[in-house]
Amino acid sequence: MAYAQHQSFYLRDKWTSKGLKFLKENPRFFHEKFAFEQIGLGKNMVQSLKFWLLAMNLIEEDKKLKIHNLTKLGEIVLKHDRLLLVHDTASILHYQLVKNAENRATIFYWFFNIYNETIVKRDDLEVAFEEYVHSKEPKEISVKSLKKDIDCLIQLYTKDMNEFDPEDVIYSPFKKLNLLSEYKKVVRKSGPEVKNIGLSALYFVLLNYINSNGMDTLSIDEIINKEHLWGKVFNLSRGEIIDALNQLTVHKKYPIQFVRTNNLDSVKLPEIDPIEFLKEEYEEMELVVNEF
């Protein structure tokens, strides 16, 4: 479990693009003394950027060689949507945070997978997270660090672009997912529409889940209620989930099938590697990558 590794900075617009480009050119970038000058960010921001790229599974670290290499997912994002303009891309990166595979982003795993309240006062949310951490950790964790995690969580999903400033670069690329809102210190999990998430992202999550767990069939109840699946990760309602599944039954290359097993409504997925699926989906989108 890890806390406040973001240095109190939520992910900013264009950070992902800059980080991937610099690392592609120089895998030792994050170990360079003057990396912050090269990329045009403060020293703490550079450390925050490294955290975000690692937590979103876009890069991996070789501590022995002191280098960072792009993952297969990182290569796809760099090639097709490094500015995170497409909702599917932001959704997939959100999913990587929530999955927390390398145990770098406890707050995101907890808030979306474990914490069941949909409306809560910020103070109560902080207390709930503190209680969860203290129940799991054998050592004392700084309350200040945990509050920083809550603050970063909220800003990551709510920091919007300044409509009066077209040059605004401090908004979050995750805001467009509409997963979270805050008004007068009351935090609300939002139930987005499928179009806010993207069908390619939703399909990728299913493929990743069945490949990781050695299965080819998922019940609708599992998709709604299981950790790392649609209901938890994206706050999707049963109706939105059924709608998305129906749309995937007519996917032009990899249609899913509705089946009934053990008296449960389920879906059967085709055998395909999740990363290969993403490559095909992005090539189909024919995105044009803009220069920053």
Side-chain angles (χ1 to χ4, degrees), residues 202-247:
L202 290 171
Y203 206 156
F204 173 78
V205 170
L206 293 185
L207 290 172
N208 201 65
Y209 189 90
I210 65 169
N211 274 262
S212 299
N213 291 280
M215 35 197 318
D216 64 0
T217 303
L218 282 169
S219 73
I220 293 174
D221 284 343
E222 287 175 321
I223 296 171
I224 294 170
N225 298 310
K226 281 269 192 179
E227 292 182 15
H228 307 149
L229 287 172
W230 296 358
K232 294 286 190 181
V233 174
F234 299 113
N235 307 331
L236 287 178
S237 67
R238 186 181 191 91
E240 290 289 340
I241 287 172
I242 297 297
D243 177 52
L245 291 172
N246 279 324
Q247 291 184 60

Side-chain angles (χ1 to χ4, degrees), residues 11 52-58 71 73 77 84 86-113 153 156-157 173-175 177 179 192 196-215 218 222-223 226-236 269 272-275 277-278 282:
L11 183 71
W52 289 114
L53 294 180
L54 285 166
M56 295 186 299
N57 191 32
L58 293 174
T71 62
L73 178 60
V77 171
L84 311 188
V86 178
H87 283 234
D88 296 83
T89 312
S91 296
I92 289 166
L93 299 186
H94 158 74
Y95 163 67
Q96 297 294 335
L97 287 177
V98 174
K99 192 172 68 164
N100 193 29
E102 298 297 322
N103 207 19
R104 300 179 188 276
T106 303
I107 180 63
F108 300 98
Y109 166 78
W110 170 78
F111 183 75
F112 287 96
N113 284 302
L153 167 81
L156 182 66
Y157 295 98
F174 284 19
K175 171 64 175 68
L177 300 180
L179 293 172
N196 291 121
I197 306 303
L199 281 176
S200 295
L202 290 171
Y203 206 156
F204 173 78
V205 170
L206 293 185
L207 290 172
N208 201 65
Y209 189 90
I210 65 169
N211 274 262
S212 299
N213 291 280
M215 35 197 318
L218 282 169
E222 287 175 321
I223 296 171
K226 281 269 192 179
E227 292 182 15
H228 307 149
L229 287 172
W230 296 358
K232 294 286 190 181
V233 174
F234 299 113
N235 307 331
L236 287 178
L269 284 83
I272 179 174
D273 179 77
I275 290 294
F277 167 79
L278 271 191
Y282 277 99

